[in-house]
Amino acid sequence: MSDLFDTLKAKIDGKGKKVVFPEGLDERILTAVGKLGAEGLIKPVLVGEKEKIEQKAKEIGVDISTSDILDPASYEGSDKMAASFVERRKGKATEEQAREILKDENYFGTMLVYMNEAAGLVSGAAHSTADTVRPALQIIKTKPGIKKTSGVFIMVRDEEKYVFADCAINISPDSQDLAEIALASADTAKLFDIDPKVAMLSFSTRGSAKSPETEKVTDALKLAKEQNSELLVDGEFQFDAAFVPSVAEKKAPDSPLKGEANTFIFPSLEAGNIGYKIAQRLGNFDAVGPILQGLNQPVNDLSRGCNSDDVYKLAIITAAQSL
């Protein structure tokens, strides 16, 4: 795990990336921000009332002197931000409505990212996933060719690193969704110095079973190959055929993956969520994430049960995503 983050730290070191933390009064956020600021890895931007945040940091013994603190109620660029929000929402909000919406710390923080006042955002310690993701989808939006964001986990055990997706967002992805998830996950793999070898997972290997569920995966494979002919991606595979060379030799001897897949695309959120938790609890893998992918600029969602170390790590990932 330490090697994983050493690699990411080296990538962002000296880049001066700003990361927004809308939950400026949360002790876990402040503790992580203090550590990040002291190491000089990123420039933290805390959202909230300056006096309250500074008082809270003092109470818990955290130095946040390297952080910027921005209060939506007194932000000097509020006129420009409101106008930019109205333009981005294309008539779905008046300027008066925009000013009211931007009092919300997540919307305010997301606009800072959209306006390039920060590289990315980390929230969710005290907010729901919807509260974090909704502003991102409305303002930052997804990359060209990507209709939906998705959630990926990096599974780490000693020297092993694997990508599992989607384990956090899309309940029942269709073929196009799965293709998009495969392409986005390959990009995420590269961020963590994983050369992506992508397996589209199912309960069937190369037509050993036929159903609408397996056909969805084979259709997704075709779409992924059409959208990126250079990507090493294959399927549909049962997990063992994707991961165990001896099984792959029997079930899919002509596959270019040869049982050496490292990026696994699950056919549903149900399968992905169960899969990563089994690997985490029975396989003793560390699960890093969920990391949101497919957005034009990085926004990431914490668990409300997170600790300060989770905040610290996700901030590093967010800064690295912005490179």
Side-chain angles (χ1 to χ4, degrees), residues 55-312:
Q55 179 60 35
K56 187 69 172 181
K58 184 177 179 180
E59 288 173 3
I60 63 174
V62 173
D63 179 6
I64 59 168
S65 59
T66 62
S67 302
D68 291 337
I69 303 176
L70 300 180
D71 184 352
S74 58
Y75 181 56
E76 291 182 355
S78 59
D79 290 344
K80 181 180 178 182
M81 181 179 283
S84 181
F85 182 84
V86 170
E87 181 182 7
R88 186 59 167 167
R89 296 296 289 140
K90 295 180 179 178
K92 293 181 180 178
T94 65
E95 187 166 327
E96 183 180 354
Q97 289 170 330
R99 291 183 183 278
E100 190 63 29
I101 291 169
L102 291 170
K103 291 178 182 178
D104 179 281
E105 54 265 34
N106 279 312
Y107 273 96
F108 178 82
T110 301
M111 280 300 296
L112 290 174
V113 177
Y114 173 67
M115 297 172 71
N116 294 315
E117 297 295 329
L121 177 146
V122 173
S123 188
H127 290 88
S128 69
T129 295
D131 288 337
T132 301
V133 175
R134 187 184 301 110
L137 293 177
Q138 291 179 356
I139 299 166
I140 292 174
K141 303 186 179 180
T142 53
K143 294 177 180 178
I146 301 289
K147 293 181 179 179
K148 296 178 181 178
T149 188
S150 54
V152 63
F153 280 86
I154 309 300
M155 307 302 295
V156 184
R157 184 176 66 185
D158 299 326
E159 300 302 313
E160 297 176 85
K161 294 185 290 187
Y162 305 105
V163 178
F164 282 19
D166 178 359
C167 303
I169 302 293
N170 297 287
I171 295 173
S172 184
D174 61 21
S175 296
Q176 181 61 51
D177 297 334
L178 287 175
E180 291 178 3
I181 292 166
L183 298 174
S185 298
D187 288 339
T188 299
K190 293 173 186 176
L191 175 66
F192 291 89
D193 289 340
I194 299 170
D195 183 19
K197 298 177 181 179
V198 184
M200 310 295 290
L201 298 180
S202 182
F203 58 82
S204 165
T205 296
R206 292 290 187 83
S208 62
K210 289 283 188 182
S211 74
E213 290 81 7
T214 62
E215 290 172 5
K216 177 180 76 169
V217 178
T218 56
D219 289 345
L221 175 65
K222 292 176 185 176
L223 291 168
K225 286 182 174 180
E226 288 172 3
Q227 293 174 50
N228 185 348
S229 60
E230 296 181 1
L231 179 64
L232 182 54
V233 56
D234 204 3
E236 88 281 14
F237 284 138
Q238 293 161 289
F239 184 84
D240 56 355
F243 187 69
V244 182
S246 60
V247 177
E249 189 175 350
K250 293 177 181 178
K251 292 187 174 184
D254 61 338
S255 172
L257 291 180
K258 301 184 184 304
E260 297 178 349
N262 54 29
T263 303
F264 302 96
I265 310 305
F266 292 85
S268 68
L269 179 60
E270 183 176 44
N273 190 271
I274 291 169
Y276 101 79
K277 288 182 183 290
I278 288 175
Q280 181 184 37
R281 301 301 179 181
L282 292 183
N284 293 318
F285 277 84
D286 287 314
V288 180
I291 302 162
L292 298 187
Q293 56 185 17
L295 293 167
N296 281 308
Q297 293 160 287
V299 169
N300 280 308
D301 178 42
L302 293 158
S303 164
R304 277 176 281 184
C306 69
N307 57 38
S308 63
D309 192 50
D310 296 327
V311 179
Y312 172 82

Side-chain angles (χ1 to χ4, degrees), residues 1-17:
M1 179 68 82
S2 61
D3 289 345
L4 178 75
F5 281 94
D6 286 343
T7 299
L8 294 181
K9 288 178 183 180
K11 289 183 177 183
I12 65 173
D13 189 31
K15 299 294 194 299
K17 292 291 185 179

